[in-house]
Amino acid sequence: MRSLKRFGAIAGACLLILAGCNGAEETSTGSDPQGDMARGAELIAAKGCGTCHEIPGIDGATGRVGPPLDHVGERMFIAGMLDNTPENMRTWLMDPQAVVPGNAMPDTGLDQEEADQVAAYLRSLR
Amino acid sequence: MTLSIAKSIMAKAISGWRQVGQRAGLAVAGLALGTHAASAQTPMYYLETFGPKGEITASLTWGLLAISVFVVVLMSVLVLVAIFRAKRLEPAELGSKLPVSHPGGGHRWIYLGLALTTAALIVMVVWTMEVLAEIDEPAVEPAFTIEVTGEQWWWEARYVDPDDPSRTFVTANELHIPVGEPVRIRLASADVIHSFWVPALAGKTDVIPGQINETWLQADRKGVYRGQCAEYCGVQHAHMAMRVFADPAEEFRSWWEHQLEPADTIPEDDELLRVGQEQFVLKCGACHAVRGTLAGGEAGPDLTHFMDRTTIAAVTLPNTPGHLSGWIADPQHQKPGNKMPNLDLSGPELNAIRHYLETLD
Ligand SMILES: [Cu+2]
């Protein structure tokens, strides 16, 4: 009986923690790296980055059109042009044609917040 | 007479059961299909239907299922009863009695069983035939026909106005039909056997080379219904899907009007679009048609109003700039073996062509 109660308490605590995480995810801003990454992963799937890139952790992202994005968090340059900083990644993702005119990567319609979320996910690929 | 009474009693009895089943089934289907189901309002699910044809067929499905389950339960109970009622021989009787005996009588049970089985089978056959007859033709004559051609691994759709041949046009993979009106579907194949199946609206109709098969569809609720080739037709059979959009009548008519139009001419001074169109005609025009340009190919889907479609390559990818670029750059990786080859494109050409395609709304 006692162990059952204890189990209940632990389960309850876990649920609370999970619920907390969930709530945090929904209001993702710069101050919430976990939420940003999760949202970034969703965006990467929705925008079809995986038709061109191999991206760890994204379902079906096996593309062979552009470079694989494993370890992109550690890469020195973005597209061989920009220093790999969060700001530059945002610039690249929002308008790749402005950085390397005529390259094969399209503007996928990310706004600034979305670009930062995608960048947060990419940064975690080390 | 008695048959039809039995049938109607059966139909009433199962209708309650059917609703319970539908809810449970939908929940399971929803779980199993997960993200895929999220894009279409009805997943590949035939136990809940949205048109007169589907309704009649679904009743039959549930009826036959109910009878079958009843028979299995009945037989199981009888076998169990027989097992537990069997008399055990006392050890003392072992030498004097045979373990298996053939007492007389008991034929009555066999006659009864035969009679019940025959009656049930007749009900099922007559009911099935009746449903087949009922769904053969819609209640009113359809106002138009869609000639659907199955090709490895996509669907061409030619809309035909019977009164005015000039109002014919071609599209692909995404059909639109008016809500609440029957539509005739005339099926042909360009290569091998396929099967046309929109489970929430109607059963399957085979698509056979050298033969025209006819069926019809009617959706009584606005929505998007997923269809799928239902006869194995080669490597990309699984990616030979379609979407049927049931639109309110008004919306449907204006969609048709819009489809009749040729593609918009591109602005003279837009260099990127000019190059895009030029490259498209050169590299893609042998297989794809864009009405109003020199691109008139027929090996691939008509792209005149491609941006009106929500998906690419028979519902293989959603139609977003990212997926579209990826498709044009490497169709053989997205749908290995499909009939669109990887083409020699440079980055700037790919970019220009995609920009041009994005004007085709
Ligand atoms: Cu098939």
Side-chain angles (χ1 to χ4, degrees), chain B residues 153 193-195 229-233 237 240:
Chain B
W153 290 274
I193 302 180
H194 304 275
S195 187
C229 176
E231 181 69 47
Y232 181 74
C233 57
H237 164 65
M240 186 169 165

Side-chain angles (χ1 to χ4, degrees), chain A residues 12-78:
Chain A
C14 287
L15 272 180
L16 276 179
I17 291 169
L18 280 178
C21 287
N22 239 343
E25 250 171 44
E26 273 157 22
T27 57
S28 66
T29 53
S31 59
D32 170 31
Q34 289 299 319
D36 278 0
M37 271 175 54
R39 187 73 193 107
E42 281 169 24
L43 283 163
I44 287 173
K47 299 292 184 185
C49 315
T51 51
C52 292
H53 294 288
E54 204 172 308
I55 313 173
I58 307 293
D59 243 12
T62 60
R64 296 280 187 276
V65 178
L69 298 186
D70 52 346
H71 308 300
V72 70
E74 287 177 323
R75 207 153 299 164
M76 297 308 295
F77 291 99
I78 299 169

Side-chain angles (χ1 to χ4, degrees), chain B residues 224-240:
Chain B
V224 189
Y225 302 89
R226 191 184 162 94
Q228 168 72 37
C229 176
E231 181 69 47
Y232 181 74
C233 57
V235 273
Q236 286 302 337
H237 164 65
H239 283 140
M240 186 169 165

Side-chain angles (χ1 to χ4, degrees), chain A residues 60-112:
Chain A
T62 60
R64 296 280 187 276
V65 178
L69 298 186
D70 52 346
H71 308 300
V72 70
E74 287 177 323
R75 207 153 299 164
M76 297 308 295
F77 291 99
I78 299 169
M81 291 292 272
L82 303 172
D83 193 12
N84 190 359
T85 65
E87 295 72 38
N88 282 342
M89 186 56 93
R90 175 203 290 164
T91 306
W92 169 252
L93 293 175
M94 288 181 70
D95 195 357
Q97 294 299 317
V99 180
V100 182
N103 94 84
M105 178 159 153
D107 175 356
T108 52
L110 296 166
D111 64 26
Q112 185 166 323

Side-chain angles (χ1 to χ4, degrees), chain B:
Chain B
M1 184 61 205
T2 35
L3 271 180
S4 67
I5 291 173
K7 208 195 83 185
S8 77
I9 292 174
M10 190 69 90
K12 286 219 181 79
I14 60 166
S15 82
W17 197 58
R18 180 177 154 182
Q19 274 171 10
V20 177
Q22 270 174 2
R23 278 192 206 119
L26 262 187
V28 172
L31 280 179
L33 291 168
T35 48
H36 266 270
S39 50
Q41 283 168 30
T42 63
M44 294 298 294
Y45 185 66
Y46 51 84
L47 293 177
E48 193 183 22
T49 51
F50 299 88
K53 196 176 186 183
E55 279 306 314
I56 303 167
T57 322
S59 295
L60 176 70
T61 308
W62 284 101
L64 296 187
L65 185 67
I67 296 175
S68 310
V69 169
F70 175 74
V71 169
V72 169
V73 170
L74 182 70
M75 295 315 293
S76 309
V77 168
L78 288 179
V79 168
L80 287 176
V81 166
I83 290 173
F84 288 112
R85 279 196 53 206
K87 292 200 196 82
R88 260 164 247 239
L89 291 182
E90 297 297 323
E93 295 173 315
L94 270 180
S96 60
K97 268 193 177 171
L98 286 171
V100 178
S101 63
H102 295 281
H107 280 182
R108 240 189 309 151
W109 283 103
I110 294 179
Y111 295 141
L112 185 66
L114 273 178
L116 283 176
T117 310
T118 310
L121 284 177
I122 289 178
V123 169
M124 287 159 85
V125 168
V126 171
W127 192 355
T128 305
M129 294 317 234
E130 216 173 287
V131 166
L132 284 178
E134 230 170 314
I135 62 174
D136 188 42
E137 278 293 323
V140 294
E141 182 56 24
F144 67 94
T145 300
I146 313 176
E147 294 176 357
V148 174
T149 306
E151 308 198 15
Q152 287 174 323
W153 290 274
W154 58 284
W155 304 92
E156 183 184 87
R158 179 183 296 272
Y159 280 66
V160 182
D161 183 335
D163 304 322
D164 186 354
S166 73
R167 292 176 47 79
T168 295
F169 67 87
V170 178
T171 178
N173 298 329
E174 296 193 359
L175 307 184
H176 286 247
I177 60 173
V179 170
E181 291 176 36
V183 173
R184 190 171 304 287
I185 311 281
R186 194 166 289 151
L187 295 162
S189 167
D191 35 50
V192 301
I193 302 180
H194 304 275
S195 187
F196 180 88
W197 190 33
V198 187
L201 300 180
K204 302 169 184 174
T205 308
D206 274 2
V207 178
I208 303 199
Q211 176 176 327
I212 305 291
N213 281 351
E214 281 197 351
T215 181
W216 59 281
L217 291 181
Q218 179 174 337
D220 284 343
R221 205 188 293 175
K222 180 175 154 41
V224 189
Y225 302 89
R226 191 184 162 94
Q228 168 72 37
C229 176
E231 181 69 47
Y232 181 74
C233 57
V235 273
Q236 286 302 337
H237 164 65
H239 283 140
M240 186 169 165
M242 80 189 91
R243 282 183 168 180
V244 177
F245 292 76
D247 304 330
E250 196 92 328
E251 226 172 274
F252 172 75
R253 310 278 167 224
S254 61
W255 177 80
W256 186 313
E257 289 308 319
H258 181 60
Q259 294 296 313
L260 288 173
E261 288 165 18
D264 295 339
T265 45
I266 53 170
E268 297 252 324
D269 53 350
D270 194 321
E271 184 60 15
L272 187 62
L273 286 183
R274 197 189 55 71
V275 172
Q277 185 178 50
E278 201 177 278
Q279 290 296 321
F280 179 84
V281 171
L282 206 62
K283 305 232 155 102
C284 325
C287 294
H288 293 287
V290 171
R291 281 173 273 133
T293 73
L294 290 176
E298 292 187 343
D302 183 304
L303 299 178
T304 309
H305 295 287
F306 174 65
M307 291 316 282
D308 284 353
R309 304 212 267 275
T310 59
T311 58
I312 301 171
V315 200
T316 302
L317 300 169
N319 190 0
T320 71
H323 290 98
L324 179 57
S325 305
W327 169 261
I328 301 168
D330 193 359
Q332 288 302 319
H333 184 73
Q334 296 305 320
K335 194 168 172 177
N338 92 83
K339 308 273 170 153
M340 173 160 158
N342 284 2
L343 296 148
D344 267 334
L345 296 178
S346 69
E349 283 166 358
L350 170 65
N351 212 34
I353 290 176
R354 195 205 69 255
H355 268 288
Y356 170 64
L357 286 188
E358 283 174 346
T359 66
L360 301 176
D361 52 9

